[in-house]
């Protein structure tokens, strides 16, 4: 396992209170967090999962998976990212779980993001921006994305957990993440996009290769 991801995941345990109700994201860094939480973390009440894969992993460790409709707001959401800028705005959705991730992040008081150094950038956009789309709107949304100056690519593979498709957008120069997030979400057929600017992370833990962790707060 990548030492930076491991270091960030381990450091995240410090933020988890006994008996907490946690929001838990998706991806390889979060997988390390889940395994570490189960092995050496405090005992938690349960977790709201941002994907079926995360739900399965939590359950495999005997951690209760709860429905966000039943829990109400959460104290803490822990998730990784594909890119993070100095304002702690993110690109997410490399794993295709962006919509549920965005819902849980919005429903949580604090968003703790765990990454390795390779995810830190000055300007978002080298990583192709994922957009979750209702299947019948695929071509229309792709044309709108071209009109906005990017190059859309249909992501092959299974549908999202919500039964939709993903379009990855190449070549957006994201100098105004808030504006682009809103503009993409305004296209009919778009469920949501992977920019987390309106709801950025609150705390960023950057795991370094030597096992140290840098903490950045917004
Ligand atoms: C999934 C995500 C992940 O947080 C993102 O892809 C980072 O994954 P990893 O921890 O495997 O690098 O947004 O939709």
């Amino acid at each position: 396992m990548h030492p930076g991801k491991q270091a960030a995941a381990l450091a995240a345990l410090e933020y988890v209170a006994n008996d907490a109700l946690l929001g838990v994201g998706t991806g390889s860094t979060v997988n390390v967090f889940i395994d570490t939480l189960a092995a050496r973390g405090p005992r938690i009440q349960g977790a709201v999962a941002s994907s079926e894969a995360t739900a399965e992993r939590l359950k495999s460790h005997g951690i209760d998976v709860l429905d966000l409709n039943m829990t109400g707001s959460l104290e803490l959401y822990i998730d990784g990212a594909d890119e993070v800028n100095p304002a702690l705005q993110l690109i997410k959705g490399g794993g295709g779980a962006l919509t549920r991730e965005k819902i849980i992040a919005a429903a949580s008081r604090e968003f703790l993001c765990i990454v390795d150094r390779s995810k830190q950038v000055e300007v978002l956009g080298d990583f192709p921006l994922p957009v979750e789309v209702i299947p019948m709107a695929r071509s229309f949304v792709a044309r709108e994305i071209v009109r906005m100056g990017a190059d859309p690519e249909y992501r092959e593979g299974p549908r999202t957990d919500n039964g939709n498709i993903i379009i990855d957008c190449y070549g957006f120069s994201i100098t105004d993440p808030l504006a682009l997030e809103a503009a993409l979400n305004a296209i009919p057929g778009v469920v949501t996009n992977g920019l987390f600017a309106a709801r950025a992370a609150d705390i960023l833990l950057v795991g370094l290769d030597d096992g140290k962790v840098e903490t950045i707060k917004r």
Side-chain angles (χ1 to χ4, degrees):
M1 169 47 64
H2 191 294
K5 291 186 183 203
Q6 208 148 25
L10 182 61
L13 287 188
E14 299 285 318
Y15 293 80
V16 180
N18 267 322
D19 220 29
L21 257 181
L22 277 189
V24 180
T26 297
S28 57
T29 316
V30 164
N31 283 345
V32 183
F33 167 73
I34 295 170
D35 296 347
T36 313
L37 176 69
R40 32 203 293 210
R43 206 183 149 68
I44 64 167
Q45 212 182 115
V48 176
S50 74
S51 63
E52 300 301 329
T54 289
E56 284 315 306
R57 198 169 192 106
L58 289 163
K59 285 187 216 162
S60 76
H61 286 298
I63 298 172
D64 278 348
V65 175
L66 306 166
D67 180 342
L68 186 64
N69 292 307
M70 307 309 289
T71 60
S73 314
L74 303 172
E75 272 302 299
L76 180 66
Y77 178 54
I78 299 179
D79 199 356
D82 298 302
E83 278 187 352
V84 50
N85 74 9
L88 305 196
Q89 296 167 321
L90 316 169
I91 287 183
K92 292 185 46 54
L98 59 158
T99 298
R100 295 188 188 188
E101 291 174 342
K102 204 176 263 199
I103 293 167
I104 304 175
S108 299
R109 200 182 61 76
E110 197 152 63
F111 179 2
L112 176 68
C113 184
I114 51 177
V115 296
D116 62 85
R117 179 69 100 198
S118 70
K119 307 293 182 70
Q120 282 185 294
V121 297
E122 276 305 308
V123 178
L124 299 171
D126 276 351
F127 190 91
L129 177 62
V131 180
E132 180 162 355
V133 175
I134 302 284
M136 65 90 70
R138 186 187 69 211
S139 300
F140 168 69
V141 171
R143 288 196 297 279
E144 291 296 297
I145 289 167
V146 170
R147 220 173 42 77
M148 291 169 74
D151 190 7
E153 194 171 287
Y154 171 62
R155 192 185 292 183
E156 300 287 347
R159 298 263 170 110
T160 68
D161 287 345
N162 313 306
N164 298 314
I165 59 152
I166 301 274
I167 294 178
D168 291 306
C169 304
Y170 290 79
F172 270 132
S173 165
I174 309 179
T175 48
D176 188 345
L178 273 170
L180 183 60
E181 181 178 6
L184 283 167
N185 283 345
I187 302 172
V190 167
V191 178
T192 198
N193 70 83
L195 271 171
F196 283 54
R199 204 301 175 234
D202 299 301
I203 305 173
L204 179 71
L205 301 181
V206 186
L208 311 180
D209 284 350
D210 62 4
K212 294 201 175 92
V213 175
E214 205 176 293
T215 304
I216 301 169
K217 293 190 180 171
R218 187 152 64 88

